């Protein structure tokens, strides 16, 4: 009779000798813009014990046995903690994971890089936006135009299919709870002065071989200019070349599409495109 009465009182008080113990709950995953946080694990039952442990990342858990301990000096990035509950009377141990992501409040705002001019017939360009570091992310979007972004998440990606006139893209930086920023750049496609392509003029050809990249021509020219994918002059050869000339390009040229422009003596300028791989 006495044991029955004790059992009845325990049940009424919310505790049972046959209870399985509290199931660990480490609290919700969280994104922060500050380096401190109050953990939100489930409270412990009578006779239970809890422990916080760090799986990855870094920071200081002020009281590893408190469900609502302060977590301070958090490192930028992803921090994974585990809350483990040991039940009373030898009941099984349960655990749960919480992910705390700390964003850098001092991260640089989006910078798409300088506006560019592309000398047609080149229709591609390499970008130079500011790269992001995890957990902030960056991505390109097309604002004006129909060009293709090769890899929207690469700050140094290539745009292909640029057209004559104005092409506008935006570099977007998502810094989580610390904010979102965006910056645009304009790429103008145009036939640069004196460099209009003449499809009927075959005086200039391009050849690439295992030893390097060579430019061959079979007509006299007064000079040569090499333009990079951004329309900037890379090399300039001012000397006059007779028929049957050749010029070897330096091996330091970055991969991509380039333009060779010849200034012809007594004739029209010629523009040809070539690829460095």
């Amino acid at each position: 009779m006495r044991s029955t009465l004790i059992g009845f009182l325990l049940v009424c008080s919310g505790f049972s000798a046959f209870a399985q113990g509290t199931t660990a709950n480490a609290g919700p995953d969280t994104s922060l813009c500050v380096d401190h946080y109050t953990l939100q694990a489930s409270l412990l039952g009578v006779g239970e014990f809890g422990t916080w442990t760090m799986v990855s990342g870094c920071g200081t858990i002020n009281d590893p046995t408190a469900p609502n301990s302060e977590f301070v000096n958090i490192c930028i990035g992803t921090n994974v903690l585990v809350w483990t509950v040991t039940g009373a009377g030898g009941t099984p141990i349960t655990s749960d994971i919480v992910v705390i992501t700390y964003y850098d409040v001092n991260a640089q705002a989006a910078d798409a890089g300088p506006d560019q001019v592309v000398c047609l017939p080149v229709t591609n360009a390499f970008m130079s936006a500011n790269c992001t570091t995890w957990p902030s992310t960056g991505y390109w979007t097309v604002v004006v135009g129909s060009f293709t972004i090769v890899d929207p998440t690469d700050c140094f990606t290539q745009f292909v299919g640029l057209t004559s006139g104005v092409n506008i893209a935006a570099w977007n930086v998502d810094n989580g709870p610390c904010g979102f920023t965006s910056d645009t750049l304009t790429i103008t496609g145009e036939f640069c002065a004196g460099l209009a392509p003449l499809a009927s003029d075959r005086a200039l050809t391009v050849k690439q071989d295992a030893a390097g990249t060579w430019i061959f021509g079979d007509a006299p020219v007064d000079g040569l200019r090499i333009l990079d994918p951004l329309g900037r002059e890379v090399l300039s050869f001012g000397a006059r070349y007779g028929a049957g000339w050749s010029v070897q390009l330096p091996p330091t040229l970055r991969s991509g599409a380039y333009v060779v422009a010849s200034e012809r003596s007594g004739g029209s300028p010629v523009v040809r495109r070539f690829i460095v791989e």
Side-chain angles (χ1 to χ4, degrees), residues 54-248:
M54 180 84 66
V55 175
S56 64
C58 58
T60 302
I61 304 170
N62 285 346
D63 185 353
T65 63
N68 303 122
S69 173
E70 290 297 315
F71 182 40
V72 299
N73 302 322
I74 305 173
C75 291
I76 293 173
T78 301
N79 303 272
V80 180
L81 285 71
V82 174
W83 175 242
T84 301
V85 175
T86 304
T91 53
I93 295 176
T94 64
S95 61
D96 189 36
I97 290 176
V98 64
V99 178
I100 299 173
T101 306
Y102 174 34
Y103 288 78
D104 184 4
V105 68
N106 296 314
Q108 186 179 4
D111 183 354
D115 292 343
Q116 303 176 23
V117 174
V118 172
C119 292
L120 302 175
V122 169
T123 59
N124 66 330
F126 286 97
M127 298 299 100
S128 58
N130 61 313
C131 299
T132 59
T133 56
W134 179 258
S136 64
T137 56
Y139 58 94
W140 290 100
T141 53
V142 176
V143 178
V144 175
S146 57
F147 55 94
T148 299
I149 302 171
V150 174
D151 182 354
T153 62
D154 182 2
C155 53
F156 297 127
T157 193
Q158 187 178 19
F159 293 174
V160 297
L162 296 165
T163 58
S164 176
V166 174
N167 305 266
I168 301 177
W171 175 243
N172 310 283
V173 173
D174 183 355
N175 198 26
C178 295
F180 176 90
T181 56
S182 183
D183 186 38
T184 60
L185 86 160
T186 300
I187 303 174
T188 305
E190 62 182 43
F191 291 106
C192 301
L195 299 180
L198 301 176
S200 61
D201 192 332
R202 301 299 179 185
L204 187 63
T205 59
V206 174
K207 179 181 178 181
Q208 295 168 272
D209 54 28
T213 301
W214 290 80
I215 303 172
F216 297 85
D218 56 7
V221 296
D222 290 329
L224 295 171
R225 291 200 297 155
I226 310 299
L227 305 177
D228 72 4
L230 304 182
R232 300 173 300 193
E233 185 175 284
V234 176
L235 295 171
S236 177
F237 304 91
R240 176 178 173 80
Y241 291 84
W245 54 262
S246 63
V247 172
Q248 185 176 20

